[in-house]
Amino acid sequence: MKQLLSADQISRRVAELGTQLAADYRGRPLTVVGVLSGSVVFLADLIRCIDVPHQIGFVEASSYRGRTTTGSELTVSVDRLPDLTGRDVLLIDDILDTGRTLASLKALLAARHPASLRTAVLLWKDGTQQVDFMADYHAFRIPNAFVVGYGLDYNNDYRHRPDIVILEPQDLPSIGLRPSRPD
Ligand code: IMP
Ligand code: MG
């Protein structure tokens, strides 16, 4: 395993992003919506750095990808979503990879009549996007590698790590497989 981002680097950058978000949303009815489960660590740290009053909510998203690279079906649960009507919504996820998850969730939340809707990700994986979608905010741009820690998982493990590490083929012989879902 190779460390990509230390806990210190993450906490400094998350604080910086929180300060920027506080400035951007000051005086606005902000609701931060996290995508379960990958965003929980990022969300918990980030909201404590957004020094303006705001609410939080969650959506649960699981994708099931078939053997073909085109097949991807997203299952979404909105049971923990508060009313977003007239709110400034910031949708938060751990990582932007193909972009399919956030593109679909953004469309779904847009139908709930928010006053505004933006997205923020901890990690923007460079060069893997398959749909025309970009997050409004990102903490780090990273190379195309499979990473875990700080909420990100492999088969639901490693989320608790305080840093972010690259899982290499020698760490897991089955690394060529997609991570299992739900995530
Ligand atoms: P997307 O729809 O392809 O953008 O996928 C986003 C989801 O895939 C994230 O919420 C993660 O759960 C998962 N994912 C993508 N890349 C990684 C990675 O490098 N490590 C762990 N999970 C990942
Ligand atoms: Mg996830």
Side-chain angles (χ1 to χ4, degrees), residues 16-45:
E16 203 174 85
L17 186 58
T19 304
Q20 185 187 350
L21 289 166
D24 291 356
Y25 286 99
R26 193 166 305 279
R28 302 290 313 175
L30 174 63
T31 301
V32 175
V33 174
V35 181
L36 293 172
S37 303
S39 76
V40 289
V41 180
F42 177 40
L43 181 137
D45 284 346

Side-chain angles (χ1 to χ4, degrees), residues 156-169:
N156 214 19
D157 285 323
Y158 305 108
R159 292 193 199 275
H160 59 88
R161 285 190 68 109
D163 58 353
I164 290 174
V165 296
I166 297 177
L167 276 193
E168 289 164 323

Side-chain angles (χ1 to χ4, degrees), residues 35-39 61 93-95 101 151-153 159 181-183:
V35 181
L36 293 172
S37 303
S39 76
D93 205 0
D94 51 1
I95 188 164
T101 305
L152 291 125
D153 73 304
R159 292 193 199 275
R181 311 296 168 119
D183 55 16

